[in-house]
Structure formats: C-alpha cells, structure tokens
Amino acid sequence: WSHDDGIVVSGTVTVTGTGILTIDHSTVSFLQCSGIKVMPGGKLNINSSALKGCDHARWEGITVLGNPHSPQIAVDQGIGSVSGSTIEDADIGILAGYHLGQTFDNSVAGGIINTSNNTVMQNNSIDIMFLPYGQFRSSSVIEQTTFGPLYPGNQDCAAGQTEETGC
C-alpha cells in the first residue's frame, strides 16, 4: 500500500510466512476489532504512515508472531518495523506474541519489533508489549519513539464487546 489515504481494513490482514507487506506514506483506518497479524517468517514495514481506528474505533493492533524456541532470525520470527509513523487507537499497538481477549499465548512469542525515526504510539490501551521469550536474546529495537497518552479503557473483541462505527 503506497501513497493511499483511503485504506479501510475490516477483519484481519495476515502477512504469511514468506510475505512482505509494506505500508508507505499512507493512512490506514481499521474498523473495530480489525488488525494485522504477521506470521513467523513474514515481514511488515510501515514507513511514514498513520494506522488508526476508523473514527477512533478500538482496533486490535499489530500482532507479530514468532517461535520462542528459536533465535531471532527472520525465518523463525515475524518482523514488524515501524519508521516515522503513528499507531493509535489500538487495544495493543504492537504485540510480540498472541492474545485472544485477556488470554495471552506464549507459545508464539518471539516476534521482532523495531520502531524508529520519530514513530508515535498514542491513544492505545497498551503501546508495545513483549510476551516472555525463551532463552534467546531479543533483537527488537525501540528507538526514537514517542509514547503519548494511553487510552484508559479496554476492549475485548473476543467477547464480542463491540459497537458500530462508521468511517
């Protein structure tokens, strides 16, 4: 997706184990409980873009899956890289691991998260979260990132606690 300010996502966009999704100079709006999932071996690149809830709807955020029993190499870990972008209105802005509602699954922890170049995380319930990652050292890098105010509420998409919003 490049130079597009009209992208609206309903549901989950999945970056497969060999896939690469690049969001470049775009605005992406997510309907409530929508999100992006990066599978082990997949890569998500977000450059100079804004990812937000449609009319400030709470969306799930970005989930980066991995293998907690393998080192931090691209074939075993999903990679989410965010540069000069804004992520807002999410339940969890970026999660290395998996969750369904309030249940977290460490069996797919280990995804790699990199943020840089004045990335802004704001109005999320949680900005960035790493689930426990085995005996290996994480190669994630969080730098030049601003963490704005957090959203004080919580949403549980798994329990069907949603409300209609337009875009």
Side-chain angles (χ1 to χ4, degrees):
W1 300 333
S2 183
H3 298 276
D4 191 342
D5 290 333
I7 300 168
V8 177
V9 174
S10 174
T12 301
V13 173
T14 300
V15 181
T16 63
T18 58
I20 298 172
L21 172 59
T22 299
I23 301 171
D24 187 49
H25 290 87
S26 296
T27 299
V28 182
S29 299
F30 292 83
L31 296 178
Q32 193 161 21
C33 296
S34 295
I36 298 176
K37 183 188 313 182
V38 183
M39 303 302 290
K43 186 165 186 179
L44 172 66
N45 299 310
I46 303 170
N47 304 304
S48 302
S49 295
L51 279 66
K52 61 183 186 170
C54 188
D55 288 335
H56 298 286
R58 306 307 300 163
W59 61 291
E60 287 201 359
I62 299 166
T63 302
V64 184
L65 305 178
N67 181 343
H69 306 293
S70 296
Q72 296 265 283
I73 57 176
V75 69
D76 293 326
Q77 312 298 341
I79 301 174
S81 297
V82 184
S83 176
S85 298
T86 299
I87 297 176
E88 60 184 316
D89 305 322
D91 185 27
I92 301 176
I94 310 173
L95 170 65
Y98 181 75
H99 80 104
L100 183 60
Q102 299 302 313
T103 303
F104 293 89
D105 183 354
N106 295 345
S107 71
V108 288
I112 300 168
I113 299 172
N114 298 313
T115 65
S116 63
N117 295 330
N118 300 313
T119 289
V120 176
M121 307 292 294
Q122 65 186 14
N123 198 34
N124 302 302
S125 297
I126 298 170
D127 287 327
I128 298 175
M129 182 176 188
F130 293 89
L131 294 184
Y133 171 59
Q135 74 268 18
F136 299 99
R137 181 183 173 111
S138 173
S139 64
S140 295
V141 177
I142 310 299
E143 61 184 3
Q144 299 174 343
T145 299
T146 301
F147 297 92
L150 294 175
Y151 175 77
N154 195 7
Q155 166 187 307
D156 188 355
C157 290
Q161 297 174 0
T162 63
E163 57 188 60
E164 292 294 320
T165 59
C167 203

